[in-house]
């Protein structure tokens, strides 16, 4: 990863790639290995911000990837805070926020940088994201949800289906289009746009900070673009071991409420109170359902079988 040499001075870096880690050194290794062959043809610095991983993630990065700039943080104070710590010190032309549970295909970053070079009004761009089974990560191209579209989305998810307008079914997977939002797992942003819009909102510990950022970019007049001609792979939830536990589920619903109050207020206090109450009611129901599911699973494990 010669172009990611940590000794590059701030003035010579054209691209900062920022990866926030918390455990799962196996996934982090896969991500960094993929960057070896996907490294773009511009001076690039790869930064790993480790949020006090409970395993050997930071040691693996330090030992196996000496060209990566590793920051060992003292605690896990969230995705936005850790990314901001790297972005705040960046003077690069572009910055790529990359999840540790991603793998980048060769040519993807170069292609997207070329698009940004040709179209200076694009502030942020994302690519087509494929999940572990090869299907599209629908969050790669999104509209900002209204109360109605959010309700439709969650109902369909509960039924094991997709198709809500929230995930932009009108845009072909391999198309190029302006969208309301791309996925925080892979967000390539223009440095000058970042300087104007500002950093991620640190009130979001995790979840929805990417939606919030995209809204702010567009409000400042910058385009947010989905480019499905190139891909990266996203093992969704990999860095948090799959299904959300109670703490992460709480943060998810808290972020939903924050996002609603910041960007989707109805103008009616009564409606806003009802919507926020509905979000927390959904949290309560999902937490109860998850608790019952785990209790049932434990019961099955301890029940003798004839």
């Amino acid at each position: 990863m010669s172009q990611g040499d940590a000794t590059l001075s701030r003035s010579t870096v054209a691209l900062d790639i920022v990866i926030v880690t918390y455990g799962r050194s196996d996934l982090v290794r896969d991500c960094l290995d993929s960057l070896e062959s996907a490294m773009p043809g511009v001076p690039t610095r790869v930064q790993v911000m480790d949020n006090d991983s409970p395993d050997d993630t930071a040691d693996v990065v330090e030992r196996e990837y000496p060209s990566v700039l590793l920051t060992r943080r003292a605690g896990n104070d969230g995705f936005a805070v850790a990314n901001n710590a790297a972005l705040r010190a960046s003077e690069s032309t572009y910055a790529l926020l990359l999840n540790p549970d991603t793998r980048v295909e060769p040519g993807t970053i170069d292609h997207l940088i070329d698009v940004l070079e040709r179209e200076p009004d694009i502030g942020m761009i994302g690519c087509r994201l494929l999940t572990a089974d090869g299907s599209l990560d629908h969050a790669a191209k999104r509209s900002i949800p209204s109360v109605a579209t959010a309700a439709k989305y969650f109902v369909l998810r509960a039924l094991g289906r997709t198709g809500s307008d929230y995930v932009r079914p009108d845009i072909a997977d391999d198309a190029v289009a302006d969208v309301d939002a791309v996925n925080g797992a892979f967000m390539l942003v223009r440095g000058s746009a970042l300087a104007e819009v500002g950093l991620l909102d640190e009130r979001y510990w995790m979840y929805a900070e990417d939606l919030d950022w995209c809204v702010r970019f567009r409000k400042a007049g910058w385009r947010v673009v989905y480019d499905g001609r190139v891909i990266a792979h996203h093992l969704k939830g990999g860095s948090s071991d799959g299904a959300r536990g109670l703490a992460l589920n709480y943060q998810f619903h808290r972020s939903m409420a924050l996002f609603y109050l910041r960007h989707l207020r109805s103008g009616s206090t009564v409606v806003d109170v009802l919507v926020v109450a509905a979000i927390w009611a959904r949290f309560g129901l999902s937490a109860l359902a998850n608790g019952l599911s785990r209790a049932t699973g434990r019961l099955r494990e301890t029940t003798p079988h004839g």
Side-chain angles (χ1 to χ4, degrees):
M1 202 174 296
S2 60
Q3 290 182 316
D5 195 329
T7 63
L8 286 169
S9 69
R10 290 172 65 183
S11 61
T12 63
V13 174
L15 171 68
D16 269 313
I17 300 177
V18 183
I19 304 169
V20 175
T21 58
Y22 181 75
R24 294 302 303 267
S25 60
D26 56 331
L27 295 180
V28 176
R29 183 183 284 114
D30 288 346
C31 177
L32 292 174
D33 284 348
S34 78
L35 286 175
E36 291 279 4
S37 57
M39 191 61 60
V42 298
T44 300
R45 175 172 52 198
V46 179
Q47 301 188 62
V48 167
M49 312 295 289
D50 186 75
N51 273 352
D52 195 25
S53 288
D55 63 1
D56 62 345
T57 293
D59 293 333
V60 165
V61 173
E62 185 173 48
R63 180 176 65 249
E64 300 181 17
Y65 304 92
S67 62
V68 170
L69 180 61
L70 170 68
T71 299
R72 295 176 182 259
R73 297 177 53 77
N76 185 7
D77 44 9
F79 179 82
V81 170
N83 271 296
N84 284 349
L87 294 175
R88 193 172 286 114
S90 175
E91 294 178 348
S92 59
T93 307
Y94 303 108
L96 172 62
L97 272 59
L98 189 66
N99 267 23
D101 59 351
T102 57
R103 289 184 292 108
V104 182
E105 290 288 336
T108 290
I109 300 174
D110 275 318
H111 169 88
L112 296 175
I113 288 178
D114 286 344
V115 174
L116 290 173
E117 289 288 309
R118 293 194 307 269
E119 303 186 46
D121 57 343
I122 298 176
M124 181 188 302
I125 192 167
C127 65
R128 180 165 27 132
L129 296 174
L130 301 180
T131 62
D133 64 5
S135 62
L136 178 72
D137 177 356
H138 292 280
K141 48 183 176 72
R142 291 180 283 180
S143 61
I144 297 302
S146 64
V147 174
T149 58
K152 179 181 178 182
Y153 174 72
F154 285 117
V155 167
L156 288 173
R157 281 194 62 183
L159 296 174
R161 297 165 53 195
T162 58
S164 169
D165 293 340
Y166 168 61
V167 293
R168 296 302 300 269
D170 57 312
I171 299 174
D173 295 353
D174 59 355
V176 182
D178 284 57
V179 292
D180 287 351
V182 295
N183 194 315
F186 188 111
M187 304 174 86
L188 179 61
V189 302
R190 187 184 302 276
S192 56
L194 171 61
E196 179 182 348
V197 174
L199 300 170
L200 292 160
D201 188 336
E202 296 182 1
R203 289 178 296 178
Y204 300 93
W205 185 82
M206 189 174 178
Y207 306 113
E209 69 288 306
D210 53 349
L211 284 174
D212 177 273
W213 216 23
C214 289
V215 170
R216 290 161 52 206
F217 267 72
R218 290 188 301 102
K219 284 183 176 179
W222 294 97
R223 293 168 59 202
V224 175
V225 170
Y226 165 80
D227 190 333
R229 295 173 293 182
V230 290
I231 66 173
H233 304 271
H234 182 207
L235 180 59
K236 298 188 70 171
S239 56
S240 56
D241 291 325
R244 286 190 293 264
L246 182 63
L248 288 180
N249 196 23
Y250 166 79
Q251 292 294 343
F252 175 75
H253 288 83
R254 177 178 174 274
S255 291
M256 287 176 61
L258 283 172
F259 184 84
Y260 175 83
L261 292 173
R262 177 159 190 182
H263 298 293
L264 301 175
R265 286 180 181 269
S266 66
S268 166
T269 301
V270 173
V271 170
D272 292 343
V273 168
L274 289 174
V275 169
V276 173
I279 290 171
W280 286 114
R282 183 183 183 277
F283 165 69
L285 290 173
S286 62
L288 178 61
N290 289 340
L292 290 174
S293 176
R294 288 172 179 160
T296 301
R298 288 194 296 269
L299 181 61
R300 286 174 179 169
E301 290 174 359
T302 57
T303 300
H305 296 280

